[in-house]
Amino acid sequence: MSRFSEVKNLVMSLEGDFEKFYDKGNQAAGTRVRKGMQELKNLAQDIRTEVQDKKNAE
C-alpha cells in the first residue's frame, strides 16, 4: 500500500502546478506538470510489474 500512497502524494504535489498552468498560463508550471506526469507513468509501470510478479508467484 505504500506505493499507492506514493501515487497519491505525487498527484497531490502537482495540483498547484496544474492550476498555475491551466488557469494562469505559467509555462514553467507546465514543464513541471509534464515531468511529474512522467514520474507518475514510471511509478505506475513499476507497480504493474510488481503486481504481476506477485500474482505469478502464487
Side-chain angles (χ1 to χ4, degrees), residues 9-53:
N9 291 337
L10 180 56
V11 170
M12 294 307 292
S13 71
L14 294 173
E15 183 176 16
D17 287 327
F18 268 101
E19 290 173 359
K20 288 177 187 174
F21 178 71
Y22 284 108
D23 296 340
K24 300 177 183 173
N26 183 320
Q27 296 299 310
T31 301
R32 291 189 297 271
V33 166
R34 290 182 65 237
K35 181 181 178 205
M37 295 305 290
Q38 184 65 40
E39 290 176 26
L40 183 61
K41 176 185 166 193
N42 293 337
L43 182 57
Q45 183 61 47
D46 291 344
I47 292 170
R48 290 185 73 234
T49 303
E50 183 180 305
V51 168
Q52 187 67 37
D53 290 346

mmCIF file of all heavy atoms in Angstrom, residues 9-53:
data_model
loop_
_atom_site.group_PDB
_atom_site.id
_atom_site.type_symbol
_atom_site.label_atom_id
_atom_site.label_comp_id
_atom_site.label_asym_id
_atom_site.label_seq_id
_atom_site.Cartn_x
_atom_site.Cartn_y
_atom_site.Cartn_z
ATOM 1 N N ASN A 9 0.477 11.000 -3.234
ATOM 2 C CA ASN A 9 1.305 12.146 -2.875
ATOM 3 C C ASN A 9 1.833 12.863 -4.115
ATOM 4 O O ASN A 9 1.882 14.095 -4.150
ATOM 5 C CB ASN A 9 2.466 11.720 -1.977
ATOM 6 C CG ASN A 9 2.017 11.293 -0.602
ATOM 7 O OD1 ASN A 9 0.952 11.680 -0.138
ATOM 8 N ND2 ASN A 9 2.815 10.469 0.042
ATOM 9 N N LEU A 10 2.222 12.104 -5.116
ATOM 10 C CA LEU A 10 2.729 12.705 -6.346
ATOM 11 C C LEU A 10 1.640 13.512 -7.033
ATOM 12 O O LEU A 10 1.864 14.649 -7.444
ATOM 13 C CB LEU A 10 3.270 11.626 -7.291
ATOM 14 C CG LEU A 10 3.825 12.102 -8.620
ATOM 15 C CD1 LEU A 10 4.932 13.124 -8.424
ATOM 16 C CD2 LEU A 10 4.330 10.926 -9.436
ATOM 17 N N VAL A 11 0.453 12.954 -7.144
ATOM 18 C CA VAL A 11 -0.660 13.662 -7.781
ATOM 19 C C VAL A 11 -0.999 14.936 -7.002
ATOM 20 O O VAL A 11 -1.174 16.008 -7.597
ATOM 21 C CB VAL A 11 -1.892 12.744 -7.925
ATOM 22 C CG1 VAL A 11 -3.114 13.531 -8.352
ATOM 23 C CG2 VAL A 11 -1.605 11.630 -8.913
ATOM 24 N N MET A 12 -1.052 14.825 -5.682
ATOM 25 C CA MET A 12 -1.378 15.996 -4.872
ATOM 26 C C MET A 12 -0.294 17.071 -4.963
ATOM 27 O O MET A 12 -0.595 18.258 -4.948
ATOM 28 C CB MET A 12 -1.606 15.591 -3.411
ATOM 29 C CG MET A 12 -2.819 14.713 -3.199
ATOM 30 S SD MET A 12 -4.344 15.388 -3.879
ATOM 31 C CE MET A 12 -4.574 16.782 -2.813
ATOM 32 N N SER A 13 0.957 16.662 -5.105
ATOM 33 C CA SER A 13 2.035 17.634 -5.194
ATOM 34 C C SER A 13 1.987 18.404 -6.514
ATOM 35 O O SER A 13 2.512 19.517 -6.609
ATOM 36 C CB SER A 13 3.394 16.945 -5.037
ATOM 37 O OG SER A 13 3.703 16.172 -6.173
ATOM 38 N N LEU A 14 1.336 17.853 -7.522
ATOM 39 C CA LEU A 14 1.233 18.513 -8.820
ATOM 40 C C LEU A 14 0.042 19.452 -8.924
ATOM 41 O O LEU A 14 -0.056 20.220 -9.887
ATOM 42 C CB LEU A 14 1.135 17.461 -9.929
ATOM 43 C CG LEU A 14 2.356 16.584 -10.148
ATOM 44 C CD1 LEU A 14 2.034 15.483 -11.146
ATOM 45 C CD2 LEU A 14 3.524 17.410 -10.620
ATOM 46 N N GLU A 15 -0.843 19.424 -7.947
ATOM 47 C CA GLU A 15 -2.079 20.202 -8.028
ATOM 48 C C GLU A 15 -1.817 21.696 -8.250
ATOM 49 O O GLU A 15 -2.432 22.324 -9.115
ATOM 50 C CB GLU A 15 -2.906 20.006 -6.760
ATOM 51 C CG GLU A 15 -4.240 20.718 -6.804
ATOM 52 C CD GLU A 15 -5.092 20.441 -5.583
ATOM 53 O OE1 GLU A 15 -4.557 19.950 -4.563
ATOM 54 O OE2 GLU A 15 -6.293 20.722 -5.662
ATOM 55 N N GLY A 16 -0.889 22.256 -7.509
ATOM 56 C CA GLY A 16 -0.586 23.673 -7.644
ATOM 57 C C GLY A 16 -0.055 24.022 -9.023
ATOM 58 O O GLY A 16 -0.424 25.053 -9.605
ATOM 59 N N ASP A 17 0.802 23.160 -9.558
ATOM 60 C CA ASP A 17 1.352 23.410 -10.891
ATOM 61 C C ASP A 17 0.277 23.280 -11.966
ATOM 62 O O ASP A 17 0.294 24.025 -12.955
ATOM 63 C CB ASP A 17 2.518 22.463 -11.176
ATOM 64 C CG ASP A 17 3.756 22.825 -10.388
ATOM 65 O OD1 ASP A 17 3.967 24.031 -10.137
ATOM 66 O OD2 ASP A 17 4.511 21.913 -10.008
ATOM 67 N N PHE A 18 -0.666 22.352 -11.797
ATOM 68 C CA PHE A 18 -1.775 22.252 -12.742
ATOM 69 C C PHE A 18 -2.570 23.553 -12.766
ATOM 70 O O PHE A 18 -2.900 24.070 -13.836
ATOM 71 C CB PHE A 18 -2.713 21.085 -12.365
ATOM 72 C CG PHE A 18 -2.370 19.789 -13.033
ATOM 73 C CD1 PHE A 18 -1.682 18.800 -12.344
ATOM 74 C CD2 PHE A 18 -2.748 19.542 -14.336
ATOM 75 C CE1 PHE A 18 -1.373 17.600 -12.945
ATOM 76 C CE2 PHE A 18 -2.441 18.338 -14.957
ATOM 77 C CZ PHE A 18 -1.752 17.358 -14.255
ATOM 78 N N GLU A 19 -2.871 24.081 -11.586
ATOM 79 C CA GLU A 19 -3.633 25.332 -11.504
ATOM 80 C C GLU A 19 -2.865 26.481 -12.145
ATOM 81 O O GLU A 19 -3.431 27.276 -12.896
ATOM 82 C CB GLU A 19 -3.960 25.658 -10.050
ATOM 83 C CG GLU A 19 -4.970 24.712 -9.442
ATOM 84 C CD GLU A 19 -5.165 24.920 -7.948
ATOM 85 O OE1 GLU A 19 -4.487 25.797 -7.361
ATOM 86 O OE2 GLU A 19 -5.999 24.203 -7.373
ATOM 87 N N LYS A 20 -1.572 26.572 -11.846
ATOM 88 C CA LYS A 20 -0.763 27.649 -12.416
ATOM 89 C C LYS A 20 -0.710 27.564 -13.933
ATOM 90 O O LYS A 20 -0.769 28.578 -14.626
ATOM 91 C CB LYS A 20 0.657 27.609 -11.854
ATOM 92 C CG LYS A 20 0.752 28.036 -10.418
ATOM 93 C CD LYS A 20 2.175 27.892 -9.912
ATOM 94 C CE LYS A 20 2.253 28.165 -8.419
ATOM 95 N NZ LYS A 20 3.597 27.881 -7.894
ATOM 96 N N PHE A 21 -0.607 26.354 -14.462
ATOM 97 C CA PHE A 21 -0.501 26.188 -15.909
ATOM 98 C C PHE A 21 -1.836 26.456 -16.595
ATOM 99 O O PHE A 21 -1.910 27.249 -17.535
ATOM 100 C CB PHE A 21 0.002 24.793 -16.262
ATOM 101 C CG PHE A 21 0.079 24.565 -17.745
ATOM 102 C CD1 PHE A 21 1.043 25.206 -18.508
ATOM 103 C CD2 PHE A 21 -0.815 23.725 -18.377
ATOM 104 C CE1 PHE A 21 1.111 25.012 -19.885
ATOM 105 C CE2 PHE A 21 -0.757 23.526 -19.747
ATOM 106 C CZ PHE A 21 0.214 24.170 -20.502
ATOM 107 N N TYR A 22 -2.890 25.789 -16.136
ATOM 108 C CA TYR A 22 -4.176 25.897 -16.828
ATOM 109 C C TYR A 22 -4.905 27.207 -16.555
ATOM 110 O O TYR A 22 -5.549 27.753 -17.451
ATOM 111 C CB TYR A 22 -5.077 24.705 -16.480
ATOM 112 C CG TYR A 22 -4.656 23.448 -17.200
ATOM 113 C CD1 TYR A 22 -4.051 22.404 -16.511
ATOM 114 C CD2 TYR A 22 -4.854 23.301 -18.565
ATOM 115 C CE1 TYR A 22 -3.653 21.248 -17.174
ATOM 116 C CE2 TYR A 22 -4.462 22.145 -19.229
ATOM 117 C CZ TYR A 22 -3.863 21.137 -18.523
ATOM 118 O OH TYR A 22 -3.470 19.994 -19.183
ATOM 119 N N ASP A 23 -4.817 27.725 -15.347
ATOM 120 C CA ASP A 23 -5.557 28.939 -15.008
ATOM 121 C C ASP A 23 -4.778 30.213 -15.311
ATOM 122 O O ASP A 23 -5.351 31.221 -15.713
ATOM 123 C CB ASP A 23 -5.965 28.927 -13.529
ATOM 124 C CG ASP A 23 -6.940 27.796 -13.211
ATOM 125 O OD1 ASP A 23 -7.583 27.276 -14.145
ATOM 126 O OD2 ASP A 23 -7.041 27.433 -12.032
ATOM 127 N N LYS A 24 -3.457 30.170 -15.129
ATOM 128 C CA LYS A 24 -2.660 31.385 -15.267
ATOM 129 C C LYS A 24 -1.725 31.365 -16.466
ATOM 130 O O LYS A 24 -1.073 32.359 -16.764
ATOM 131 C CB LYS A 24 -1.851 31.610 -13.992
ATOM 132 C CG LYS A 24 -2.732 31.775 -12.762
ATOM 133 C CD LYS A 24 -1.926 31.917 -11.499
ATOM 134 C CE LYS A 24 -2.863 31.995 -10.293
ATOM 135 N NZ LYS A 24 -2.128 31.969 -9.054
ATOM 136 N N GLY A 25 -1.625 30.218 -17.135
ATOM 137 C CA GLY A 25 -0.783 30.126 -18.323
ATOM 138 C C GLY A 25 0.707 30.113 -18.043
ATOM 139 O O GLY A 25 1.516 30.435 -18.912
ATOM 140 N N ASN A 26 1.097 29.718 -16.843
ATOM 141 C CA ASN A 26 2.510 29.681 -16.457
ATOM 142 C C ASN A 26 3.191 28.510 -17.160
ATOM 143 O O ASN A 26 2.931 27.342 -16.873
ATOM 144 C CB ASN A 26 2.601 29.551 -14.935
ATOM 145 C CG ASN A 26 4.012 29.584 -14.410
ATOM 146 O OD1 ASN A 26 4.906 29.021 -15.002
ATOM 147 N ND2 ASN A 26 4.186 30.243 -13.282
ATOM 148 N N GLN A 27 4.098 28.834 -18.090
ATOM 149 C CA GLN A 27 4.744 27.799 -18.900
ATOM 150 C C GLN A 27 5.683 26.919 -18.079
ATOM 151 O O GLN A 27 5.797 25.723 -18.331
ATOM 152 C CB GLN A 27 5.516 28.446 -20.057
ATOM 153 C CG GLN A 27 4.621 29.189 -21.041
ATOM 154 C CD GLN A 27 3.604 28.281 -21.698
ATOM 155 O OE1 GLN A 27 3.946 27.225 -22.217
ATOM 156 N NE2 GLN A 27 2.345 28.691 -21.675
ATOM 157 N N ALA A 28 6.377 27.500 -17.110
ATOM 158 C CA ALA A 28 7.281 26.709 -16.264
ATOM 159 C C ALA A 28 6.496 25.672 -15.464
ATOM 160 O O ALA A 28 6.964 24.549 -15.258
ATOM 161 C CB ALA A 28 8.066 27.620 -15.329
ATOM 162 N N ALA A 29 5.298 26.041 -15.040
ATOM 163 C CA ALA A 29 4.456 25.086 -14.317
ATOM 164 C C ALA A 29 4.067 23.935 -15.238
ATOM 165 O O ALA A 29 3.987 22.789 -14.802
ATOM 166 C CB ALA A 29 3.215 25.784 -13.769
ATOM 167 N N GLY A 30 3.852 24.229 -16.516
ATOM 168 C CA GLY A 30 3.538 23.181 -17.485
ATOM 169 C C GLY A 30 4.679 22.185 -17.614
ATOM 170 O O GLY A 30 4.456 20.982 -17.724
ATOM 171 N N THR A 31 5.897 22.693 -17.575
ATOM 172 C CA THR A 31 7.069 21.811 -17.631
ATOM 173 C C THR A 31 7.113 20.914 -16.404
ATOM 174 O O THR A 31 7.391 19.711 -16.506
ATOM 175 C CB THR A 31 8.357 22.653 -17.731
ATOM 176 O OG1 THR A 31 8.285 23.452 -18.908
ATOM 177 C CG2 THR A 31 9.587 21.770 -17.778
ATOM 178 N N ARG A 32 6.826 21.476 -15.237
ATOM 179 C CA ARG A 32 6.814 20.677 -14.006
ATOM 180 C C ARG A 32 5.700 19.637 -14.045
ATOM 181 O O ARG A 32 5.875 18.499 -13.572
ATOM 182 C CB ARG A 32 6.673 21.586 -12.784
ATOM 183 C CG ARG A 32 7.895 22.438 -12.527
ATOM 184 C CD ARG A 32 7.816 23.162 -11.203
ATOM 185 N NE ARG A 32 6.721 24.105 -11.112
ATOM 186 C CZ ARG A 32 6.790 25.399 -11.473
ATOM 187 N NH1 ARG A 32 7.908 25.890 -11.982
ATOM 188 N NH2 ARG A 32 5.743 26.183 -11.326
ATOM 189 N N VAL A 33 4.557 20.001 -14.622
ATOM 190 C CA VAL A 33 3.449 19.050 -14.752
ATOM 191 C C VAL A 33 3.876 17.881 -15.644
ATOM 192 O O VAL A 33 3.650 16.716 -15.307
ATOM 193 C CB VAL A 33 2.183 19.732 -15.321
ATOM 194 C CG1 VAL A 33 1.161 18.697 -15.770
ATOM 195 C CG2 VAL A 33 1.576 20.675 -14.298
ATOM 196 N N ARG A 34 4.504 18.195 -16.768
ATOM 197 C CA ARG A 34 4.946 17.138 -17.675
ATOM 198 C C ARG A 34 5.953 16.219 -16.997
ATOM 199 O O ARG A 34 5.891 15.001 -17.136
ATOM 200 C CB ARG A 34 5.560 17.745 -18.934
ATOM 201 C CG ARG A 34 4.523 18.415 -19.817
ATOM 202 C CD ARG A 34 5.117 18.982 -21.096
ATOM 203 N NE ARG A 34 5.623 17.888 -21.907
ATOM 204 C CZ ARG A 34 6.880 17.797 -22.331
ATOM 205 N NH1 ARG A 34 7.760 18.714 -22.034
ATOM 206 N NH2 ARG A 34 7.260 16.779 -23.076
ATOM 207 N N LYS A 35 6.883 16.791 -16.250
ATOM 208 C CA LYS A 35 7.876 15.989 -15.530
ATOM 209 C C LYS A 35 7.193 15.100 -14.493
ATOM 210 O O LYS A 35 7.504 13.910 -14.374
ATOM 211 C CB LYS A 35 8.893 16.904 -14.850
ATOM 212 C CG LYS A 35 9.969 16.150 -14.113
ATOM 213 C CD LYS A 35 10.941 17.072 -13.428
ATOM 214 C CE LYS A 35 11.973 16.257 -12.677
ATOM 215 N NZ LYS A 35 12.565 16.966 -11.593
ATOM 216 N N GLY A 36 6.258 15.674 -13.750
ATOM 217 C CA GLY A 36 5.541 14.908 -12.737
ATOM 218 C C GLY A 36 4.716 13.784 -13.338
ATOM 219 O O GLY A 36 4.644 12.683 -12.786
ATOM 220 N N MET A 37 4.101 14.049 -14.488
ATOM 221 C CA MET A 37 3.305 13.018 -15.134
ATOM 222 C C MET A 37 4.191 11.891 -15.652
ATOM 223 O O MET A 37 3.792 10.729 -15.640
ATOM 224 C CB MET A 37 2.472 13.622 -16.275
ATOM 225 C CG MET A 37 1.415 14.608 -15.791
ATOM 226 S SD MET A 37 0.303 13.927 -14.538
ATOM 227 C CE MET A 37 -0.613 12.778 -15.519
ATOM 228 N N GLN A 38 5.402 12.208 -16.079
ATOM 229 C CA GLN A 38 6.343 11.161 -16.495
ATOM 230 C C GLN A 38 6.731 10.304 -15.295
ATOM 231 O O GLN A 38 6.801 9.082 -15.399
ATOM 232 C CB GLN A 38 7.593 11.786 -17.123
ATOM 233 C CG GLN A 38 8.566 10.767 -17.667
ATOM 234 C CD GLN A 38 8.009 9.967 -18.831
ATOM 235 O OE1 GLN A 38 7.330 10.503 -19.695
ATOM 236 N NE2 GLN A 38 8.292 8.684 -18.855
ATOM 237 N N GLU A 39 6.953 10.938 -14.152
ATOM 238 C CA GLU A 39 7.259 10.185 -12.931
ATOM 239 C C GLU A 39 6.092 9.284 -12.560
ATOM 240 O O GLU A 39 6.294 8.139 -12.146
ATOM 241 C CB GLU A 39 7.564 11.141 -11.786
ATOM 242 C CG GLU A 39 8.864 11.883 -11.920
ATOM 243 C CD GLU A 39 9.084 12.892 -10.794
ATOM 244 O OE1 GLU A 39 8.535 12.699 -9.695
ATOM 245 O OE2 GLU A 39 9.802 13.869 -11.037
ATOM 246 N N LEU A 40 4.875 9.816 -12.712
ATOM 247 C CA LEU A 40 3.672 9.032 -12.409
ATOM 248 C C LEU A 40 3.578 7.820 -13.334
ATOM 249 O O LEU A 40 3.263 6.714 -12.889
ATOM 250 C CB LEU A 40 2.428 9.913 -12.560
ATOM 251 C CG LEU A 40 1.094 9.281 -12.212
ATOM 252 C CD1 LEU A 40 1.058 8.835 -10.763
ATOM 253 C CD2 LEU A 40 -0.027 10.263 -12.487
ATOM 254 N N LYS A 41 3.876 8.021 -14.604
ATOM 255 C CA LYS A 41 3.861 6.920 -15.570
ATOM 256 C C LYS A 41 4.863 5.845 -15.170
ATOM 257 O O LYS A 41 4.543 4.646 -15.186
ATOM 258 C CB LYS A 41 4.191 7.453 -16.960
ATOM 259 C CG LYS A 41 4.294 6.402 -18.019
ATOM 260 C CD LYS A 41 4.750 7.020 -19.323
ATOM 261 C CE LYS A 41 5.170 5.930 -20.278
ATOM 262 N NZ LYS A 41 5.892 6.467 -21.431
ATOM 263 N N ASN A 42 6.066 6.262 -14.801
ATOM 264 C CA ASN A 42 7.096 5.298 -14.406
ATOM 265 C C ASN A 42 6.710 4.560 -13.128
ATOM 266 O O ASN A 42 6.920 3.347 -13.014
ATOM 267 C CB ASN A 42 8.443 6.000 -14.235
ATOM 268 C CG ASN A 42 8.997 6.512 -15.539
ATOM 269 O OD1 ASN A 42 8.656 6.023 -16.607
ATOM 270 N ND2 ASN A 42 9.845 7.518 -15.464
ATOM 271 N N LEU A 43 6.151 5.283 -12.181
ATOM 272 C CA LEU A 43 5.708 4.670 -10.934
ATOM 273 C C LEU A 43 4.585 3.665 -11.199
ATOM 274 O O LEU A 43 4.595 2.564 -10.645
ATOM 275 C CB LEU A 43 5.248 5.747 -9.949
ATOM 276 C CG LEU A 43 4.796 5.289 -8.580
ATOM 277 C CD1 LEU A 43 5.888 4.504 -7.870
ATOM 278 C CD2 LEU A 43 4.389 6.494 -7.743
ATOM 279 N N ALA A 44 3.648 4.041 -12.060
ATOM 280 C CA ALA A 44 2.547 3.135 -12.399
ATOM 281 C C ALA A 44 3.080 1.860 -13.053
ATOM 282 O O ALA A 44 2.607 0.756 -12.753
ATOM 283 C CB ALA A 44 1.557 3.837 -13.321
ATOM 284 N N GLN A 45 4.060 1.993 -13.928
ATOM 285 C CA GLN A 45 4.633 0.810 -14.582
ATOM 286 C C GLN A 45 5.320 -0.087 -13.565
ATOM 287 O O GLN A 45 5.193 -1.310 -13.619
ATOM 288 C CB GLN A 45 5.624 1.229 -15.670
ATOM 289 C CG GLN A 45 6.191 0.061 -16.440
ATOM 290 C CD GLN A 45 5.125 -0.738 -17.165
ATOM 291 O OE1 GLN A 45 4.265 -0.174 -17.827
ATOM 292 N NE2 GLN A 45 5.169 -2.050 -17.039
ATOM 293 N N ASP A 46 6.038 0.514 -12.617
ATOM 294 C CA ASP A 46 6.690 -0.273 -11.570
ATOM 295 C C ASP A 46 5.661 -1.044 -10.745
ATOM 296 O O ASP A 46 5.861 -2.211 -10.416
ATOM 297 C CB ASP A 46 7.509 0.624 -10.641
ATOM 298 C CG ASP A 46 8.732 1.219 -11.315
ATOM 299 O OD1 ASP A 46 9.127 0.721 -12.397
ATOM 300 O OD2 ASP A 46 9.284 2.190 -10.761
ATOM 301 N N ILE A 47 4.562 -0.391 -10.425
ATOM 302 C CA ILE A 47 3.506 -1.030 -9.637
ATOM 303 C C ILE A 47 2.889 -2.173 -10.442
ATOM 304 O O ILE A 47 2.651 -3.266 -9.908
ATOM 305 C CB ILE A 47 2.440 -0.012 -9.204
ATOM 306 C CG1 ILE A 47 3.046 0.973 -8.199
ATOM 307 C CG2 ILE A 47 1.227 -0.713 -8.607
ATOM 308 C CD1 ILE A 47 2.164 2.160 -7.887
ATOM 309 N N ARG A 48 2.638 -1.951 -11.730
ATOM 310 C CA ARG A 48 2.061 -3.000 -12.576
ATOM 311 C C ARG A 48 2.963 -4.224 -12.602
ATOM 312 O O ARG A 48 2.497 -5.360 -12.491
ATOM 313 C CB ARG A 48 1.864 -2.489 -14.003
ATOM 314 C CG ARG A 48 0.761 -1.461 -14.138
ATOM 315 C CD ARG A 48 0.531 -1.086 -15.593
ATOM 316 N NE ARG A 48 -0.139 -2.197 -16.242
ATOM 317 C CZ ARG A 48 0.288 -2.800 -17.353
ATOM 318 N NH1 ARG A 48 1.389 -2.413 -17.936
ATOM 319 N NH2 ARG A 48 -0.391 -3.784 -17.877
ATOM 320 N N THR A 49 4.257 -3.992 -12.739
ATOM 321 C CA THR A 49 5.219 -5.096 -12.776
ATOM 322 C C THR A 49 5.240 -5.840 -11.448
ATOM 323 O O THR A 49 5.253 -7.074 -11.413
ATOM 324 C CB THR A 49 6.624 -4.557 -13.111
ATOM 325 O OG1 THR A 49 6.573 -3.865 -14.358
ATOM 326 C CG2 THR A 49 7.634 -5.674 -13.189
ATOM 327 N N GLU A 50 5.224 -5.089 -10.360
ATOM 328 C CA GLU A 50 5.234 -5.683 -9.023
ATOM 329 C C GLU A 50 3.994 -6.548 -8.801
ATOM 330 O O GLU A 50 4.087 -7.663 -8.279
ATOM 331 C CB GLU A 50 5.296 -4.559 -7.993
ATOM 332 C CG GLU A 50 5.384 -5.001 -6.562
ATOM 333 C CD GLU A 50 5.441 -3.795 -5.628
ATOM 334 O OE1 GLU A 50 6.323 -2.945 -5.812
ATOM 335 O OE2 GLU A 50 4.580 -3.717 -4.737
ATOM 336 N N VAL A 51 2.837 -6.036 -9.195
ATOM 337 C CA VAL A 51 1.586 -6.779 -9.029
ATOM 338 C C VAL A 51 1.607 -8.053 -9.874
ATOM 339 O O VAL A 51 1.236 -9.130 -9.403
ATOM 340 C CB VAL A 51 0.370 -5.894 -9.392
ATOM 341 C CG1 VAL A 51 -0.901 -6.717 -9.504
ATOM 342 C CG2 VAL A 51 0.200 -4.789 -8.367
ATOM 343 N N GLN A 52 2.072 -7.940 -11.107
ATOM 344 C CA GLN A 52 2.128 -9.108 -11.993
ATOM 345 C C GLN A 52 3.068 -10.168 -11.435
ATOM 346 O O GLN A 52 2.748 -11.359 -11.447
ATOM 347 C CB GLN A 52 2.580 -8.689 -13.396
ATOM 348 C CG GLN A 52 2.502 -9.796 -14.404
ATOM 349 C CD GLN A 52 1.074 -10.224 -14.708
ATOM 350 O OE1 GLN A 52 0.189 -9.390 -14.758
ATOM 351 N NE2 GLN A 52 0.868 -11.499 -14.878
ATOM 352 N N ASP A 53 4.230 -9.745 -10.939
ATOM 353 C CA ASP A 53 5.182 -10.697 -10.370
ATOM 354 C C ASP A 53 4.588 -11.409 -9.152
ATOM 355 O O ASP A 53 4.744 -12.617 -8.998
ATOM 356 C CB ASP A 53 6.476 -9.983 -9.980
ATOM 357 C CG ASP A 53 7.280 -9.525 -11.183
ATOM 358 O OD1 ASP A 53 6.989 -9.985 -12.314
ATOM 359 O OD2 ASP A 53 8.183 -8.681 -11.002
#
